[in-house]
Amino acid sequence: MVHLTGIYDMKAEKIEEVLELAQHYCIINNNEQQLPLNVLRGKMVGLLFFEPSTRTKASFYRAAKNLGADVIDLQAGASSVAKGESVLDTAVNLRAMGLNALVVRHTSAGIPDFLAHNIDIPVINAGDGAHEHPTQALLDLLTIKQEFGRFAGLNVLIMGDILHSRVARSNIFAMSRLGINVSLAGPATLVPQALSSLGVNIVCDVDDALAAADIVYMLRIQKERQRGGLLPSLSEYAALFGVNERRLPLLQKHAIIMHPGPVNLGIELTASACFSSHSRITTQVNNGVAVRMAVLHLLLSK
Ligand code: CP
């Protein structure tokens, strides 16, 4: 692994290698063993976020620190980007200061790949437009592995705004590769039919799909990316595609609810669903630190 710009090109064995190391770091983090470790002592990791983030940015920061690295957390809005500096120029300048890896989030799909082709340090995609969010998919897989101990034969229902979701794309690639049966549901305007060519099922009956799922993966309605007419009414969306008090009893006893966050409470999940015993949303966040430690370790420790 030289860069991590997407799951699309990642083989199943490499995914499993990341998850194994992440599980090791999960145990270290949660047992509050002596941190920081020395794995990345003397290395410097740059965080370059051109879009807002809570979970991804904070967990990359924590992950780098836990491994003993220094972190440059560049506030894109307060940097020379505001004066017209290009993304590549920003990256090249940070590299000139001794940066060893760059974690980048951007509204435009393809920026991490572009940087990876033009700079001689590992680039990690922290979410690019509606393209990919590979570390989110990896932390989701770790959460599933911890819960079920396997991937093959599980049924996942991914529901909501698939069209704009980099999380859905990375998870569809990763889950399919590992033998999980993937079903998608959502408003017809937000579920591209072309995705069925990837081997996923596009389902219409939400209640039936919920009852069959081992994993109910809810997506955030990305209000900031909606164009006119795609989603006429949030309350209608919540009634048709949300998990609420009526739908919770449809779930199998062992089924888990996941969500990448931030949750629009009352839209994709009511509070009773978000905080129910099925929910693994905070486990996902906890696993985010361990997964990002594993990714930084594998890219930087050689
Ligand atoms: N899941 C996720 O990417 O969350 P943030 O936008 O808070 O990083």
Side-chain angles (χ1 to χ4, degrees):
M1 207 156 72
V2 181
H3 305 281
L4 179 59
T5 57
I7 294 283
Y8 183 78
D9 290 324
M10 220 169 159
K11 292 193 165 67
E13 302 78 55
K14 182 53 75 178
I15 295 174
E16 294 279 11
E17 183 189 347
V18 175
L19 297 184
E20 195 174 320
L21 185 56
Q23 181 57 27
H24 165 75
Y25 281 134
C26 202
I27 292 165
I28 289 179
N29 292 347
N30 293 339
N31 288 339
E32 294 174 6
Q33 288 185 21
Q34 195 71 38
L35 293 169
L37 307 172
N38 281 323
V39 178
L40 297 186
R41 175 110 16 241
K43 304 280 187 187
M44 190 156 57
V45 174
L47 306 181
L48 192 50
F49 279 60
F50 293 89
E51 262 189 7
S53 168
T54 299
R55 282 146 284 269
T56 312
K57 190 172 181 184
S59 60
F60 265 115
Y61 185 96
R62 192 67 251 151
K65 287 288 186 185
N66 282 355
L67 294 172
D70 288 326
V71 181
I72 292 184
D73 178 5
L74 199 76
Q75 307 300 320
S79 73
S80 287
V81 170
K83 300 181 221 161
E85 183 177 75
S86 72
V87 184
L88 180 58
D89 204 11
T90 307
V92 166
N93 275 280
L94 292 174
R95 173 72 183 116
M97 293 174 214
L99 202 73
N100 300 106
L102 187 62
V103 179
V104 62
R105 169 172 287 192
H106 204 282
T107 42
S108 296
I111 291 286
D113 278 303
F114 169 73
L115 292 174
H117 281 102
N118 287 285
I119 198 161
D120 64 344
I121 53 173
V123 174
I124 303 169
N125 181 0
D128 60 331
H131 178 221
E132 283 229 37
H133 194 348
T135 57
Q136 178 68 46
L138 291 166
L139 73 88
D140 294 334
L141 292 172
L142 181 62
T143 308
I144 293 167
K145 184 92 182 256
Q146 288 168 346
E147 190 72 31
F148 297 101
R150 68 190 166 92
F151 297 116
L154 293 173
N155 296 316
V156 63
L157 172 66
I158 303 178
M159 185 148 70
D161 183 0
I162 315 277
L163 178 68
H164 298 107
S165 180
R166 54 198 178 206
V167 173
R169 285 172 62 87
S170 290
N171 265 314
I172 289 168
F173 297 142
M175 290 174 174
S176 307
R177 197 152 302 151
L178 294 167
I180 298 178
N181 305 311
V182 180
S183 298
L184 308 178
T189 48
L190 297 179
V191 183
Q193 294 294 312
L195 287 177
S196 54
S197 68
L198 297 176
V200 302
N201 305 308
I202 298 177
V203 297
C204 297
D205 191 319
V206 171
D207 287 0
D208 278 358
L210 284 170
D214 301 299
I215 303 139
V216 176
Y217 198 104
M218 303 300 289
L219 296 171
R220 180 172 74 87
I221 280 291
Q222 303 194 37
K223 294 178 203 149
E224 71 277 20
R225 297 192 215 273
Q226 302 297 327
R227 299 185 303 278
L230 288 178
L231 191 63
S233 155
L234 280 179
S235 57
E236 185 184 79
Y237 174 86
L240 293 174
F241 299 103
V243 175
N244 49 31
E245 290 73 13
R246 182 186 73 74
R247 284 187 162 144
L248 266 182
L250 301 175
L251 268 55
Q252 302 184 69
K253 213 168 173 177
H254 70 264
I256 60 171
I257 295 174
M258 300 175 70
H259 191 300
V263 176
N264 292 307
L265 217 53
I267 300 178
E268 52 262 13
L269 292 170
T270 57
S272 57
C274 188
F275 304 113
S276 76
S277 60
H278 293 282
S279 175
R280 294 295 178 277
I281 296 171
T282 48
T283 309
Q284 289 172 266
V285 176
N286 182 265
N287 284 337
V289 178
V291 157
R292 286 160 181 139
M293 286 171 79
V295 168
L296 289 171
H297 176 144
L298 290 170
L299 287 173
L300 274 170
S301 68
K302 294 198 181 76

